[in-house]
């Protein structure tokens, strides 16, 4: 028969309430007692019924990840990181994809929070960058942690985990400049994402500090997709226009870069001999292309796990909150870049 909380309490020689406190990772339990309960849980293979816990008491043990992002690899990494923290801390995870452009987005998420008894929310761009939306959620007395692009939080609406895309983009653009490239194209991601803005700023800053004239004709508006990379690279490398053809292309993420590489092959442009291409994020796209992409390593799973731990500590009102460091994606040099 399946072990119950009563079985655990009996084997550990403690009360049911103490077992519950250990399972909920409450700090008001002595270490020796905690170890006895954890040993009993392991020996009996006890599996707490988290749904029942949510229904039985006033506390909720569910958090939700709310997102609007077409990049499957990004979403998978985020889910893995959040789930890792939830499993360790005895919380359930609800996944809720949505459309940030929907005029009823706030009402949709507010209703979900109320009906699902959510204790906290993790938001990623562009939802994390919509202050009025965030204010509506905070007003529900639900904890919110945002993952955002930038070096400092833009406000004090809720705690943030920051990703410094600007410095990373500057570093990766400088890598191209150090290889002798001066005509460097830029294929943007979605304009609504702050990561696009921050990566563009880093690109511009690298050019400026190296005294390279900025050519707006080398900047292509796009979105975070493979097709955007294909069309963007075709525009930049077209022989039909009188515009300067770049010797290198900065792609706002690896999916765009993979598309740009594909377009280059269609146009019989050799990579990296005739054109260097860089991506961003170090997603599987960067390792599945040929040649493999030079990129910036953005540890999305770890970022998500840190955000989840921060959220759960907020839900539990722990005195010692986790300290979240700012993430700066690191340059990874592979085979898609070479000297000009």
């Amino acid at each position: 028969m399946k072990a119950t909380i009563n079985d655990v309490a009996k084997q550990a020689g403690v009360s049911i309430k103490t077992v519950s406190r250990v399972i909920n990772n409450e700090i008001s339990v002595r270490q020796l007692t905690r170890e006895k309960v954890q040993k009993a849980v392991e020996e009996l293979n006890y599996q707490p019924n988290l749904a029942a816990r949510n229904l039985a008491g006033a506390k909720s043990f569910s958090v939700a990840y709310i997102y609007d992002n077409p990049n499957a690899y990004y979403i998978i990494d985020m889910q893995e990181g959040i789930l890792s923290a939830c499993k360790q801390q005895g919380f359930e995870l609800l996944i809720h994809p949505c459309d940030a452009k929907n005029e009823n987005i706030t009402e949709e998420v507010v209703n979900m929070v109320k009906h699902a008894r959510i204790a906290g929310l993790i938001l990623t761009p562009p939802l994390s960058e919509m202050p009025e939306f965030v204010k509506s959620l905070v007003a529900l007395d639900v904890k919110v942690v945002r993952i955002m692009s930038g070096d400092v939080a833009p406000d004090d609406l809720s705690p943030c985990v920051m990703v410094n895309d600007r410095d990373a983009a500057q570093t990766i653009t400088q890598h191209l400049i150090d290889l002798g490239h001066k005509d460097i194209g830029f294929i943007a991601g979605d304009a609504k994402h702050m990561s696009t803005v921050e990566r563009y700023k880093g690109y511009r800053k690298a050019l400026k500090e190296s005294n390279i004239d900025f050519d707006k004709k080398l900047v292509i508006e796009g979105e975070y997709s493979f097709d955007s990379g294909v069309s963007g690279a075709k525009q930049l490398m077209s022989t039909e226009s009188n515009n300067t053809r770049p010797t290198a292309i900065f792609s706002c993420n690896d999916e765009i870069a993979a598309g740009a590489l594909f377009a280059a092959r269609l146009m019989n442009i050799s990579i990296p001999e005739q054109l260097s291409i860089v991506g961003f994020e170090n997603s599987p796209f960067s390792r599945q292309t040929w040649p493999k992409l030079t990129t910036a390593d953005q540890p999305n799973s770890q970022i998500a796990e840190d955000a989840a731990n921060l959220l759960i500590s907020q839900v539990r009102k722990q005195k010692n909150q986790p300290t979240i460091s700012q993430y700066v994606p690191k340059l990874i040099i592979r085979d898609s870049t070479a000297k000009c």
Side-chain angles (χ1 to χ4, degrees), residues 10-279:
K10 184 177 180 179
Q11 180 152 326
V14 300
S15 68
I16 293 174
K17 191 171 184 180
T18 298
V19 175
S20 179
R21 284 174 175 167
V22 173
I23 291 170
N24 295 335
N25 282 328
E26 294 183 16
I27 59 176
S28 58
V29 181
R30 290 185 301 170
Q31 184 59 31
L32 181 60
T33 302
R34 184 182 299 277
E35 290 173 358
K36 287 168 59 179
V37 173
Q38 289 172 337
K39 182 180 179 182
V41 167
E42 184 176 346
E43 289 176 348
L44 294 171
N45 193 27
Y46 173 64
Q47 301 293 326
N49 188 328
L50 297 180
R53 284 164 64 199
N54 281 338
L55 291 172
K59 290 183 179 180
S60 170
F61 294 91
S62 296
V63 297
Y65 171 39
I66 315 296
Y67 69 89
D68 174 11
N69 192 309
N71 188 331
Y73 289 127
Y74 179 85
I75 300 305
I76 290 170
D77 283 346
M78 285 289 146
Q79 290 179 9
E80 286 181 350
I82 298 170
L83 275 172
S84 176
C86 286
K87 287 180 179 178
Q88 291 175 34
Q89 304 215 43
F91 273 67
E92 290 276 22
L93 174 62
L94 186 150
I95 307 294
H96 188 83
C98 57
D99 181 1
K101 295 178 182 178
N102 187 335
E103 60 181 17
N104 298 318
I105 180 63
T106 300
E107 180 182 357
E108 172 191 336
V109 176
V110 165
N111 287 335
M112 183 275 294
V113 171
K114 289 180 177 179
H115 289 96
R117 293 193 69 240
I118 298 299
L121 301 167
I122 294 173
L123 306 178
T124 49
L127 296 165
S128 59
E129 299 162 353
M130 297 163 55
E132 294 305 315
F133 173 71
V134 176
K135 286 179 183 177
S136 297
L137 298 177
V138 172
L140 297 173
D141 196 28
V142 62
K143 300 300 181 183
V144 177
V145 168
R146 294 171 290 168
I147 297 173
M148 304 184 73
S149 177
D151 54 352
V152 294
D155 52 54
D156 59 358
L157 289 174
S158 74
C160 299
V161 177
M162 305 303 299
V163 181
N164 194 332
D165 290 297
R166 178 170 50 190
D167 285 0
Q170 182 179 355
T171 297
I172 205 166
T173 305
Q174 187 61 50
H175 165 65
L176 294 172
I177 294 170
D178 292 343
L179 290 173
H181 297 281
K182 293 183 178 180
D183 298 315
I184 303 172
F186 182 91
I187 305 178
D190 299 72
K192 64 181 179 180
H193 285 246
M194 189 55 65
S195 58
T196 299
V197 176
E198 290 294 306
R199 292 170 194 180
Y200 177 67
K201 286 180 179 178
Y203 160 79
R204 289 289 304 270
K205 187 176 181 182
L207 295 178
K208 183 177 181 180
E209 292 189 357
S210 294
N211 296 313
I212 296 174
D213 291 336
F214 169 67
D215 184 353
K216 66 179 182 181
K217 294 179 181 178
L218 291 178
V219 176
I220 304 296
E221 293 184 3
E223 56 186 27
Y224 286 117
S225 70
F226 181 90
D227 289 343
S228 185
V230 174
S231 60
K234 285 182 176 180
Q235 283 181 254
L236 288 169
M237 302 306 295
S238 173
T239 57
E240 296 178 2
S241 68
N242 295 321
N243 297 336
T244 301
R245 291 178 66 181
T247 60
I249 294 176
F250 182 117
S251 306
C252 251
N253 76 349
D254 295 327
E255 194 169 353
I256 295 173
L261 194 150
F262 179 73
R265 289 191 180 280
L266 293 178
M267 301 172 77
N268 293 317
I269 298 171
S270 179
I271 309 296
E273 292 80 10
Q274 295 174 286
L275 176 69
S276 288
I277 295 176
V278 298

Side-chain angles (χ1 to χ4, degrees), residues 312-329:
I312 292 170
S313 72
Q314 295 270 317
V315 170
R316 288 186 168 142
K317 299 179 181 179
Q318 294 175 356
K319 291 183 179 179
N320 297 320
Q321 301 282 329
T323 300
I324 304 298
S325 302
Q326 177 195 120
Y327 283 91
V328 182

